[in-house]
Amino acid sequence: MSARDWIDKDFYRELGVSSDASADEVKKAYRKLARELHPDANPGDAKAEARFKSVSEAYGVLSDTAKRKQYDEARRLFAGGGGFPGGFGQGGGFDVGDLFSRQQQAGGMGGLGDLLGGLFNRRAGGTASSATRPRRGEDVETDVRIDFTEAVQGATVPMRLSSPATCSTCAGSGARPGTSPRTCPNCAGAGLVTRNQGAFAFSEPCADCRGTGRIVDDPCPDCGGDGVSTKTRTLTIRIPAGVDDGQRIRLAGQGEPGRNNGPNGDLFVRVHVNPDPLFGRSGNNLTVTVPVTFPELALGTTLTVPTLDGKVTLKVPAGTASGRVLRAKGKGIARRDGQVGDLLITLQVAVPNNMDAAAREALEAYASKTAQHDPRADLNALVEKRST
Ligand SMILES: [Zn+2]
Ligand SMILES: [Zn+2]
């Protein structure tokens, strides 16, 4: 609702009370009307609903002492939308600034102060309006999906992007090529016109040029005079090595174009990384799980382990525990800033689910030979300790 609407409304009439009604009278009148007009009591009655809203709005202002005071003051000033009280303004000793400073002192009342702020914010002879002031373009966010290896090693990804951009046909002027916009004669290019009402001067966006200050007689066929058209751009995005899933990359100035020579917004590309069937990731480290047999761990072995760009040979010492993590230094993610992670290799015993008779026999022989060794001795000792 504009300030004008607000002031034009007669909240007293809405509630059917006089302008000097007491707070109690206001409340009584509201309760009675609210009961009568409540949507529950008038199902499907749009008129009653509208009245109910008006009455609620009126009560919202008149029941609040501070708001009611402001409303009364504004109504005195505007005197029913017509002329101003005689003598007021010229040497009347009242200044718009006065009204504002008082409202600011009252603090936090919002309401009229805010509404009038919008009405009074421009005085006669104002400078460029927000419509003609340079404005930064909006930021744009888009998504890109890349493979794990691309994320680790970095990649350049071509992207097609549909977004508003400065119209290339008219270079943003909005005028058909070969013509140019002319300065709006109504507002002399300011985008604002000043309306005098009594002692006050109000500025409002110029209706002739819709606040732009310029008139395009022959609009550009591609953008219809806006100077901005939706365009599909192909951008090549460099994704730095080591980018993580969900990370955003900022491309300065690649967002929406600014208006009135304002700077462009930025483009934010959110990177989604497809998981890799082989490698996982923990910060700058890569992880991989390598199945091994029990004899390999017990007797020791040499393993060939895949890395991102080849393989690495690792010695597994005899007596290595299952689940042990070995580290291949420098085989992780190499970031642009020089940080390099490692490849963390988890050894996991693979237990055969099907053995032939000979293998089974050999394993049973092994079991009986090692029956004295209790792998849970330490665990049991700890359990005992805990229970005592
Ligand atoms: Zn154009
Ligand atoms: Zn104009």
Side-chain angles (χ1 to χ4, degrees):
M1 187 188 351
S2 77
R4 189 74 235 177
D5 292 342
W6 210 81
I7 289 159
D8 281 344
K9 287 195 176 176
D10 191 338
F11 291 147
Y12 292 103
R13 206 177 53 202
E14 289 289 357
L15 292 182
V17 296
S18 69
S19 58
D20 54 6
S22 69
D24 213 42
E25 284 168 335
V26 168
K27 191 193 273 181
K28 267 193 192 140
Y30 166 71
R31 287 204 172 147
K32 182 171 175 290
L33 284 168
R35 257 198 312 275
E36 286 169 17
L37 298 166
H38 197 278
D40 289 350
N42 304 274
D45 185 345
K47 232 174 174 173
E49 198 183 322
R51 273 278 289 141
F52 181 71
K53 279 186 186 150
S54 305
V55 163
S56 304
E57 184 194 12
Y59 182 65
V61 172
L62 297 187
S63 62
D64 181 314
T65 315
K67 277 190 192 160
R68 181 175 173 181
K69 203 163 153 260
Q70 292 176 333
Y71 172 69
D72 287 346
E73 200 161 356
R75 262 165 50 98
R76 261 200 308 283
L77 289 180
F78 287 87
F84 288 87
F88 168 71
Q90 277 82 13
F94 189 88
D95 175 29
V96 176
D98 243 24
L99 181 59
F100 284 137
S101 56
R102 262 184 282 154
Q103 267 152 12
Q104 267 147 25
Q105 277 156 19
M109 282 200 262
L112 190 57
D114 292 347
L115 290 162
L116 288 181
L119 192 60
F120 284 131
N121 65 353
R122 309 244 100 242
R123 303 249 210 136
T127 51
S129 76
S130 59
T132 53
R133 200 179 298 140
R135 213 176 65 213
R136 185 179 179 277
E138 296 284 315
D139 290 337
V140 175
E141 190 169 313
T142 186
D143 299 79
V144 67
R145 182 164 285 281
I146 58 173
D147 281 337
F148 187 85
T149 315
E150 292 177 307
V152 169
Q153 297 176 336
T156 49
V157 180
M159 272 197 72
R160 281 167 68 79
L161 199 69
S162 283
S163 60
T166 302
C167 174
S168 58
T169 307
C170 62
S173 78
R176 183 184 289 275
T179 71
S180 49
R182 62 187 164 94
T183 302
C184 172
N186 190 37
C187 62
L192 284 172
V193 287
T194 302
R195 186 162 55 87
N196 287 304
Q197 187 167 35
F200 300 98
F202 306 105
S203 290
E204 53 191 22
C206 172
D208 287 16
C209 61
R210 287 177 301 148
T212 62
R214 294 173 315 152
I215 289 188
V216 174
D217 292 313
D218 196 0
C220 164
D222 284 352
C223 63
D226 286 343
V228 173
S229 60
T230 301
K231 269 207 303 209
T232 303
R233 289 182 288 159
T234 304
L235 277 178
T236 303
I237 297 169
R238 290 173 58 84
I239 299 192
V243 71
D244 222 335
D245 186 52
Q247 212 169 308
R248 289 203 314 173
I249 296 171
R250 176 171 166 265
L251 283 92
Q254 297 283 1
E256 283 192 16
R259 301 290 178 106
N260 306 312
N261 294 322
N264 289 356
D266 296 335
L267 172 65
F268 288 93
V269 180
R270 193 175 286 283
V271 180
H272 303 273
V273 180
N274 289 328
D276 191 80
L278 196 54
F279 296 105
R281 184 169 170 181
S282 166
N284 287 340
N285 294 328
L286 288 177
T287 60
V288 64
T289 297
V290 176
V292 289
T293 64
F294 173 73
E296 282 176 323
L297 289 186
L299 305 173
T301 188
T302 301
L303 282 180
T304 301
V305 175
T307 65
L308 266 183
D309 53 0
K311 48 198 171 199
V312 67
T313 304
L314 280 180
K315 253 188 98 70
V316 178
T320 296
S322 178
R324 168 102 183 264
V325 178
L326 302 178
R327 184 180 292 260
K329 269 218 153 310
K331 294 289 179 188
I333 290 158
R335 296 170 63 108
R336 246 192 339 196
D337 60 10
Q339 290 183 61
V340 182
D342 302 329
L343 175 63
L344 304 180
I345 302 139
T346 303
L347 302 177
Q348 193 175 59
V349 167
V351 177
N353 54 16
N354 216 337
M355 277 187 290
D356 64 18
R360 194 182 176 85
E361 208 172 297
L363 198 56
E364 278 166 356
Y366 167 79
S368 70
K369 291 273 187 211
T370 55
Q372 274 85 340
H373 172 66
D374 180 3
R376 289 174 290 279
D378 287 353
L379 178 79
N380 289 337
L382 286 172
V383 169
E384 205 132 305
K385 215 169 167 186
R386 181 178 289 240
S387 60
T388 55

